[in-house]
Amino acid sequence: MGQQIRLEVVTPAGAKINEDVDIVNAPGFGGDFGVLANHAPFLSTIKIGTLTYQIGNKRESLMVSGGFCEVSNNKITFLVESAERGGEIDVERALKAKERAERRLAQAAQQTENFNRRRAEVALQRALARLKVANLK
Amino acid sequence: MASLKEVKLKIAGVKKTAQITKAMNMVAAAKLRSAQEKMEAFRPYAAKFNEAMSNLSGGANTTGFPLMEVRDVKTVEIVVVTSDRGLCGSFNANIIKLALKMKREYEAAGKKVSFVCVGKKGAQLLGKTGCVRKSYRDIMSSFQMFHAREVATDIASQFLSGASDKVEIIYSNFKSVAAQVPAVSSLLPVQPTTEQAAKEKSFSGEYIYEPSTEEIMDVLQPLYLNVIVYHAMLEVGASEHAARMTAMDNATNACKDMVRSLSIIYNKARQAAVTSELMDIVGGAEALK
């Protein structure tokens, strides 16, 4: 096993993960990126999506919603609004949220109301990310 | 002296009040615990956030960001965070007092002041000044991050449109269960955290930014507002319960004191009644002889 990097995931509801991992894959704003041990100092914004990391042969996935991440001193820190493991996700609720968001989007398309559409889009993205992570399990 | 029956009724009433205040005290204690937990949980996030923010503003060129623009101040917006409910002693009054004092000072300096109230009490008490631009009611009991985001987005857009040139937030700093001190901190324009940046200078300037510093700042600055607003709400939440706990404890003690002094009055009155009855009986017996 090679060198490891310390992964920290912090949300407003508390620290979520704090452990040494082999590789981290994260949904960066400009596209997904991977981080290995001893990565150069790095700062990126994070969009809604799936964060995966690997320890040995164990692979874990988390749903993360917007925030940013910082790499420094062989440590990668994610500051996100929420982070949920597959098992913690309420699939039913996510499905309902998805339907609701889709309905809102359909309504907003007729009214050309920007703010509501934006909100519905974000809600839809969140719901889809949740479902994806939940199904990975 | 009040009649026996009246005093007895009064004692029963005060005892009932004491029961209620005692229950409220216990409820506040339980709520305080959960509010404190919430605050504890948020602390690492806030700490990390400030660290990253100072790294960034230390390493990046921070001019040219609209949220950081320092303008000639004509209108000051004050975000006042209070509780939704009363019965917590002078807690809200202290915050409002500070808000009104600041308003006076700014107006004396020839600046316009508008309030944004978070929490029902602030909206009620500041309503008569006629300066309330917006109020958020009934969100303090179960607030979430997105409530803070709503407030932050609103004040940011107000700032960007030029309707306000400076934004400050008043909240209550939760020092301990016994002490909650009203505090002011500045929200906008976003100030680069210079002293912290200097401390961590060893690290700044060598980051790879993705997508770019500007875009990261565009995301981080609104988030930064969220963090401050949310933090203020958490502090007020915890302070409110602590203040209510103290207030209800005082009320319970006052009730006990009242019961004690009323009991003395009751006993005296009863004794007087017994004595006068005895005298009647003795007098009657005397007359029969």
Side-chain angles (χ1 to χ4, degrees):
Chain A
M1 212 154 70
Q3 275 182 305
Q4 291 190 313
I5 184 167
R6 162 76 43 159
L7 167 69
E8 274 185 26
V9 177
V10 187
T11 69
K16 187 86 189 170
I17 297 176
N18 190 357
E19 56 187 334
D20 288 326
V21 301
D22 291 324
I23 182 170
V24 181
N25 273 304
F29 207 75
D32 286 12
F33 60 86
V35 174
L36 290 163
N38 296 321
H39 195 286
F42 174 69
L43 224 147
S44 172
T45 46
I46 299 293
K47 58 181 184 185
I48 299 165
T50 321
L51 166 77
T52 49
Y53 62 95
Q54 210 168 336
I55 310 171
N57 289 326
K58 209 176 82 194
R59 208 179 157 78
E60 297 272 358
S61 295
L62 283 148
M63 174 266 170
V64 289
S65 59
F68 67 102
C69 98
E70 187 199 16
V71 184
S72 65
N73 283 333
N74 203 24
K75 193 169 95 180
I76 176 162
T77 311
F78 284 88
L79 283 161
V80 286
E81 273 180 35
S82 66
E84 289 162 25
R85 286 178 198 276
E88 295 163 355
I89 291 170
D90 188 341
V91 179
E92 211 150 286
R93 204 177 132 200
L95 272 173
K96 273 194 194 128
K98 177 175 165 257
E99 278 165 23
R100 199 166 48 230
E102 278 166 348
R103 213 167 40 239
R104 287 229 183 97
L105 271 180
Q107 280 173 4
Q110 294 158 0
Q111 296 168 355
T112 64
E113 221 183 309
N114 253 332
F115 176 67
N116 280 340
R117 181 186 303 175
R118 180 93 199 93
R119 245 170 61 167
E121 272 169 9
V122 172
L124 183 60
Q125 279 172 17
R126 258 201 307 268
L128 289 175
R130 283 209 172 91
L131 289 173
K132 196 176 154 200
V133 173
N135 288 336
L136 278 177
K137 276 274 152 177
Chain B
M1 196 176 272
S3 81
L4 266 181
K5 201 176 167 197
E6 259 172 52
V7 179
K8 205 171 181 179
L9 273 176
K10 207 165 179 181
I11 290 176
V14 173
K15 271 185 179 161
K16 271 183 191 147
T17 310
Q19 243 167 17
I20 293 169
T21 55
K22 194 155 183 214
M24 280 185 76
N25 170 289
M26 287 190 302
V27 169
K31 282 193 175 163
L32 172 66
R33 206 169 307 132
S34 73
Q36 255 179 314
E37 268 163 23
K38 229 172 167 178
M39 221 163 69
E40 297 282 317
F42 183 64
R43 210 161 277 159
Y45 185 87
K48 290 270 174 206
F49 198 95
N50 283 335
E51 201 185 299
M53 193 73 186
S54 59
N55 274 352
L56 194 65
S57 47
N61 180 16
T62 50
T63 52
F65 294 110
L67 283 178
M68 287 181 127
E69 191 190 346
V70 181
R71 285 188 293 236
D72 201 21
V73 179
K74 287 192 286 288
T75 315
V76 184
E77 185 145 88
I78 305 178
V79 182
V80 186
V81 191
T82 55
S83 69
D84 270 335
R85 292 161 185 227
L87 288 181
C88 41
S90 56
F91 174 71
N92 288 315
N94 285 341
I95 298 177
I96 300 298
K97 223 191 295 169
L98 182 63
L100 290 175
K101 186 174 150 244
M102 278 174 62
K103 176 174 179 277
R104 271 199 306 277
E105 281 171 7
Y106 277 125
E107 281 178 346
K111 296 171 173 60
K112 269 207 329 223
V113 176
S114 65
F115 287 120
V116 171
C117 297
V118 180
K120 198 159 76 187
K121 281 288 151 188
Q124 283 171 351
L125 292 166
L126 288 172
K128 34 181 194 282
T129 63
C131 302
V132 178
R133 184 173 68 78
K134 200 157 187 182
S135 53
Y136 298 86
R137 289 154 184 253
D138 296 318
I139 63 172
M140 292 305 288
S141 52
S142 63
F143 54 84
Q144 299 281 329
M145 192 76 179
F146 69 84
H147 287 128
R149 195 185 313 138
E150 210 175 293
V151 179
T153 317
D154 178 55
I155 52 177
S157 69
Q158 196 74 3
F159 181 78
L160 289 177
S161 72
S164 65
D165 306 299
K166 184 180 168 150
V167 183
E168 287 183 322
I169 185 163
I170 303 184
Y171 60 100
S172 183
N173 208 342
F174 181 79
K175 296 249 189 226
S176 72
V177 177
Q180 305 90 31
V181 190
V184 185
S185 58
S186 159
L187 268 177
L188 285 168
V190 175
Q191 282 140 356
T193 41
T194 38
E195 75 267 32
Q196 270 176 311
K199 211 165 55 191
E200 309 191 12
K201 203 75 190 167
S202 59
F203 239 94
S204 55
E206 30 177 302
Y207 275 93
I208 306 167
Y209 296 107
E210 188 179 314
S212 67
T213 337
E214 287 74 26
E215 280 174 73
I216 289 188
M217 278 307 233
D218 276 351
V219 176
L220 274 199
Q221 286 177 348
L223 259 180
Y224 177 71
L225 291 183
N226 283 1
V227 168
I228 299 185
V229 173
Y230 189 63
H231 179 244
M233 283 164 79
L234 281 175
E235 293 265 351
V236 168
S239 300
E240 176 201 349
H241 295 308
R244 180 165 303 124
M245 239 176 87
T246 321
M248 286 303 122
D249 198 39
N250 288 341
T252 314
N253 285 338
C255 281
K256 278 185 190 152
D257 285 349
M258 265 178 91
V259 169
R260 204 168 300 136
S261 59
L262 280 173
S263 300
I264 291 172
I265 294 174
Y266 176 75
N267 288 341
K268 269 186 186 158
R270 194 194 52 182
Q271 204 56 53
V274 170
T275 313
S276 72
E277 268 171 34
L278 266 177
M279 273 170 55
D280 278 354
I281 294 168
V282 173
E286 209 59 42
L288 282 176
K289 266 182 194 168

